[in-house]
Amino acid sequence: MEYSVRINGLMVDAVYRDADIRDIFLPLLGRLQELQREKGRRILVMMAAPPGAGKSTLASFLEHLSRSTPGMTPVTVIGMDGFHRRQEYLQSHRVARFGREVEMVRIKGAPVTFDLELLRERIERVAAGEECLWPEYDRRLHNPVEGQPVRGDIVLLEGNYLLLDEDGWRELGQYGDYTIRITADPDMLRQRLIARKTASGTDYEEAVRFVEESDLYNARLCLERCVEADLTLRALDGGGYVYDR
């Protein structure tokens, strides 16, 4: 199935295999619907994946699928990208990386470049069933923008570090009713990340530098330092998925 959606201000085109929809996505949505009915309240689902694995597009597609399938409880998708620290903050603060101090903006997307305290506060409110505002990230502006109120009985939060096994991030897991992890081949991620960076207006050489110094470091962090999830999928080159365990 062909699917197009605007993610963080940019149009993204994807194709999902009929077999994946039938054997992975619809059973997953059915599982979440059953869990929500059992608990009798809003449930919060956390989907974590390395940058470039297609998690934001997949989360959006799951929302679309839930709303277009008769009898399925609608899923509301939110993302952690809206909790990037503002560009001016990243340009004026430095952090240690690769044995030297660098501007935070040079490693934008690393865990330290997110406002973890604010993210946790909003996650707590969403998990409690509140209708709170949720910020979004615009890649064209390179900054978070005001978002919409969170509504719905099944809320899917997607982000790179939601299952990160590090202090502060690890504690986010207490708010999740169900967790999903996506893995992928690092070489595939590299090509996708370079393409994504150039699509946002960065020249090729600068895109390669940023991916090599920042995005791939973050991708390895996501792949190697995550807690166990209720469901693990592996993203394949070409857009397919398989169960990873």
Side-chain angles (χ1 to χ4, degrees):
M1 178 185 293
E2 295 182 355
Y3 181 68
S4 297
V5 64
R6 187 175 295 278
I7 301 290
N8 294 335
L10 297 177
M11 287 303 302
V12 177
D13 298 317
V15 178
Y16 293 103
R17 303 184 303 187
D18 291 342
D20 290 347
I21 295 173
R22 181 188 66 241
D23 299 333
I24 299 177
F25 303 154
L26 286 175
L28 169 61
L29 291 173
R31 196 175 312 149
L32 298 181
Q33 179 173 260
E34 181 179 354
L35 180 62
Q36 190 278 322
R37 288 174 176 171
E38 288 175 356
K39 291 183 177 289
R41 57 166 175 79
R42 171 186 286 171
I43 64 168
L44 177 62
V45 182
M46 292 183 174
M47 176 189 287
K55 69 186 177 313
S56 299
T57 308
L58 175 59
S60 175
F61 181 71
L62 290 173
E63 180 178 45
H64 165 76
L65 194 60
S66 74
R67 295 176 184 272
S68 59
T69 301
M72 194 69 72
T73 301
V75 171
T76 299
V77 170
I78 54 178
M80 63 168 277
D81 279 354
F83 295 87
H84 275 290
R85 294 189 183 276
R86 294 191 63 82
Q87 192 78 347
E88 51 269 29
Y89 180 97
L90 300 177
Q91 291 171 337
S92 61
H93 288 72
R94 302 176 71 84
V95 66
R97 173 67 67 89
F98 309 125
R100 65 183 191 276
E101 281 201 348
V102 299
E103 293 180 347
M104 276 190 173
V105 71
R106 290 179 63 87
I107 60 167
K108 188 172 184 177
V112 71
T113 66
F114 287 88
D115 189 337
L116 178 55
E117 183 178 348
L118 180 59
L119 173 62
R120 177 170 176 162
E121 182 265 329
R122 293 295 175 89
I123 287 177
E124 185 174 9
R125 294 178 63 186
V126 169
E130 295 185 31
E131 187 179 296
C132 61
L133 289 176
W134 192 271
E136 300 173 357
Y137 184 77
D138 193 316
R139 290 191 183 278
R140 296 169 301 178
L141 300 176
H142 305 292
N143 264 324
V145 295
E146 184 176 349
Q148 301 296 320
V150 179
R151 302 185 178 95
D153 291 329
I154 301 177
V155 177
L156 193 163
L157 170 60
E158 55 89 5
N160 296 137
Y161 307 117
L162 298 174
L163 297 177
L164 185 63
D165 193 11
E166 289 189 358
D167 291 345
W169 295 95
R170 189 184 304 113
E171 287 69 33
L172 297 180
Q174 66 183 298
Y175 301 107
D177 296 285
Y178 192 87
T179 55
I180 304 167
R181 183 185 178 207
I182 300 175
T183 65
D185 178 75
D187 290 335
M188 181 189 77
L189 295 177
R190 180 181 184 276
Q191 297 304 317
R192 287 187 177 184
L193 289 165
I194 292 172
R196 186 171 76 181
K197 197 69 176 173
T198 56
S200 65
T202 305
D203 69 66
Y204 181 78
E205 290 186 0
E206 174 61 19
V208 170
R209 184 204 63 77
F210 184 87
V211 167
E212 295 287 354
E213 293 187 1
S214 182
D215 279 343
L216 283 182
Y217 178 94
N218 299 332
R220 286 191 292 270
L221 194 62
C222 295
L223 292 172
E224 298 170 4
R225 301 186 63 177
C226 277
V227 299
E228 290 295 318
D230 295 307
L231 171 66
T232 302
L233 301 174
R234 184 171 184 82
L236 305 175
D237 197 6
Y241 291 85
V242 294
Y243 290 108
D244 204 27
R245 63 175 178 83

